[in-house]
Amino acid sequence: MFAAAITGYLTAFSLILAIGAQNAFVLRQGLLRAHVFWLCLLCALSDAILITAGVAGFSAVVHLYPTLPKLMALAGAAFLFVYGAMRFYAAWKGNYELVLSGQSAPLWPTLATAAAFTWLNPHVYLDTLGLIGAVSTQFEPTPQKIAFAVAATAASFSFFFGLGYGARMLAPIMQSVRAWRIFDIGVGAVMWMIALALLTGEF
């Protein structure tokens, strides 16, 4: 069981570690110190649901509905393009008075945006339902599968809460309009690159 747990934790953590749209959004909210707990909880619980489904073998659904990944890619690319455009527009306008004062969008719109980043991202299904589910098949006894899934879920919780609350260490260098403008340009670029990758099938 220990080997299954270690494998589950390291597999999930390595997959989540890659910089993506969801991570960039969590980082941004962490810098604002706004709704960090609920945002991290939503992201981690979403991963927990998907990881559990992957370990349970839900990836077979993709074989039944082969067009599903393509539809998710189109929806995800559209969302990422719009959000990226919003970040470019914010950088162009440079109106960061509310941001510099620590103000953010209300809780529910923030969570809705995070949910879209999570559930409209085809890559998260590849990671959780596909890769994590595939790795879990080497652990046949049910207790080992449970240990694998629990450890993989723990990796998600530790990553998102570490990212969300660790972001405040960058706060001292994010006290100017120029810093936030550069950050938003970077986020917008990441969003558009991922959207392009989704449309070209390279993600």
Side-chain angles (χ1 to χ4, degrees):
M1 288 182 63
F2 181 74
I6 292 296
T7 302
Y9 189 94
L10 293 179
T11 300
F13 197 89
S14 62
L15 291 173
I16 302 170
L17 191 59
I19 296 298
Q22 184 188 47
N23 294 352
F25 184 70
V26 173
L27 177 62
R28 191 174 196 277
Q29 289 301 125
L31 288 170
L32 291 173
R33 302 186 183 187
H35 318 307
V36 177
F37 175 81
W38 295 110
L39 175 62
C40 293
L41 183 63
L42 172 68
C43 293
L45 286 178
S46 296
D47 269 7
I49 293 171
L50 291 166
I51 288 170
T52 301
V55 173
F58 190 70
S59 57
V61 172
V62 175
H63 296 289
L64 295 176
Y65 303 98
T67 60
L68 183 60
K70 185 63 175 179
L71 294 175
M72 294 300 299
L74 292 174
F79 174 77
L80 291 173
F81 181 81
V82 171
Y83 188 82
M86 291 171 60
R87 299 274 55 85
F88 284 128
Y89 181 73
W92 176 62
K93 293 289 289 184
N95 295 328
Y96 288 105
E97 289 80 6
L98 295 179
V99 170
L100 292 173
S101 66
Q103 296 188 43
S104 170
L107 175 61
W108 290 111
T110 299
L111 294 182
T113 302
F117 277 127
T118 302
W119 294 95
L120 289 180
N121 178 14
H123 193 252
V124 76
Y125 296 97
L126 173 63
D127 285 349
T128 55
L129 301 183
L131 296 178
I132 291 179
V135 173
S136 72
T137 58
Q138 65 183 289
F139 303 105
E140 287 302 329
T142 301
Q144 289 190 21
K145 278 188 174 293
I146 293 175
F148 178 92
V150 169
T153 299
S156 180
F157 272 84
S158 61
F159 175 82
F160 283 115
F161 278 92
L163 178 63
Y165 284 101
R168 61 187 57 189
M169 292 188 294
L170 298 175
I173 65 175
M174 299 298 293
Q175 298 300 315
S176 68
V177 170
R178 181 173 181 272
W180 274 101
R181 178 174 277 139
I182 292 172
F183 181 78
D184 271 346
I185 290 174
V187 171
V190 169
M191 301 301 171
W192 278 16
M193 284 190 294
I194 296 174
L196 180 62
L198 288 175
L199 292 177
T200 57
E202 297 178 0
F203 200 85

